[in-house]
Amino acid sequence: MNIRVLGCAGAIAAGSFTTSFLLDGDVLIDAGTGVGTLTLEELAGIDHILLSHSHLDHVLGVPLLADSVMRMRAAAGRGPIRVHGLPETLQALRDHLFNNRIWPDFTRLPTAQQPVLVLEPFAVGQALALGERRIEVLSAAHTVPAVGFAVFARAQGPCWVFTGDTGPNEALWQRLAQLPVAHLVIETSFCDEEATLAQLSRHLCPSSLAAQPLQQLQQSQEPAQLHITHVKPGEVRTVMAQLRRHGVKAHALRTGDRWQLD
């Protein structure tokens, strides 16, 4: 199983793309501006999109992708792209994107019988089977209903975890302590000088991340590797230096980074 970072920034700038990961060429985890780094052929190969929550920096690629690939997928006889999310997330798409005012309703185009997109709800704790891959929906604590994901290449073996946007969340750490986490992709959206803003917006900053029980993942026989995502453009150096001062060993995620899980 291969995972590729398409975007991992907390906002846009030259060379900075918002959150999206490509799994094995056919699954998107979130659909931020990083989706735009894919070729048309790569976009047409996507069969599933898993959304962590409804905020624009994580979903804006969904309507644009649908418009780009609708004709190519129809000509190839491909079925609809399945968009998975919490019921609240999918309702937000219906109300605020696919409402024929912001964007056409691609859940009914090109026809209601054969749309390019199908919206499929999931719940926290649910395990999705996508071929041999298993993806568990994890708890997140954000300003809107939100989740993270634990991705397994097979039923038994290590997993890659993406927390989604989240502030401190005891339920997440309780579940992670039970999983064989090889890689943990976790947000740190703000520097410590903006700790109040991080708290209000239910994000993490270096001090609040350092206060989480990271040691339970990093003191095991095979410690998890920590990857920092969702940092605002221009703030990466500051955030990573503050994490080091707090004793957190982590890698600053970059567009183009890849993992392979067996």
Side-chain angles (χ1 to χ4, degrees):
M1 182 177 69
N2 294 285
I3 303 171
R4 171 179 157 196
V5 181
L6 305 179
C8 55
I12 61 169
S16 296
F17 308 99
T18 66
T19 304
S20 189
F21 303 92
L22 183 64
L23 171 60
D24 286 341
D26 64 326
V27 178
L28 278 180
I29 297 177
D30 276 348
T33 62
V35 173
T37 65
L38 297 175
T39 66
L40 183 59
E41 290 72 20
E42 288 174 319
L43 291 172
I46 293 166
D47 292 320
H48 298 272
I49 303 174
L50 279 65
L51 297 177
S52 65
H53 65 294
S54 61
H55 281 162
L56 189 62
D57 56 327
H58 296 257
V59 305
L60 63 83
V62 178
L64 298 173
L65 185 155
D67 195 18
S68 293
V69 305
M70 179 174 66
R71 301 153 195 82
M72 183 179 291
R73 287 181 67 90
R78 302 284 293 273
I81 300 169
R82 302 192 177 277
V83 181
H84 308 263
L86 291 171
E88 298 91 338
T89 301
L90 301 183
Q91 192 61 49
L93 296 184
R94 293 186 185 96
D95 292 345
H96 303 298
L97 283 180
F98 300 119
N99 57 14
N100 293 313
R101 296 185 296 277
I102 298 298
W103 204 250
D105 185 359
F106 280 98
T107 68
R108 300 181 63 81
L109 293 173
T111 68
Q113 293 73 34
Q114 294 182 311
V116 67
L117 298 178
V118 171
L119 307 183
E120 297 192 350
F122 57 50
V124 172
Q126 185 174 342
L128 308 175
L130 303 180
E132 294 184 359
R133 300 159 303 195
R134 183 170 67 88
I135 302 177
E136 180 178 333
V137 182
L138 301 173
S139 167
H142 197 35
T143 55
V144 295
V147 300
F149 301 104
V151 181
F152 299 80
R154 47 193 170 84
Q156 302 293 326
C159 64
W160 175 91
V161 171
F162 168 54
T163 66
D165 286 10
T166 187
N169 179 15
E170 183 178 351
L172 171 67
W173 295 100
Q174 288 177 349
R175 182 57 183 143
L176 292 185
Q178 301 168 340
L179 297 177
V181 180
H183 298 277
L184 175 62
V185 177
I186 189 166
E187 68 122 284
T188 309
S189 297
F190 297 99
C191 61
D192 278 341
E193 288 75 15
E194 296 178 310
T196 300
L197 179 57
Q199 183 178 13
L200 289 172
S201 58
R202 303 194 80 176
H203 283 290
L204 293 169
C205 63
S207 59
S208 58
L209 177 57
Q212 304 307 300
L214 296 170
Q215 65 278 2
Q216 67 186 14
L217 301 179
Q218 297 188 311
Q219 291 180 351
S220 62
Q221 190 173 8
E222 296 184 11
Q225 295 184 36
L226 192 63
H227 310 272
I228 303 302
T229 190
H230 210 271
V231 185
K232 305 301 178 185
E235 294 293 317
V236 174
R237 187 172 298 178
T238 298
V239 165
M240 296 309 296
Q242 291 177 347
L243 285 170
R244 286 192 295 272
R245 287 200 292 272
H246 288 297
V248 177
K249 297 179 180 180
H251 161 71
L253 208 60
R254 295 177 296 181
T255 295
D257 282 353
R258 297 172 183 259
W259 299 270
Q260 182 171 347
L261 290 180
D262 298 322

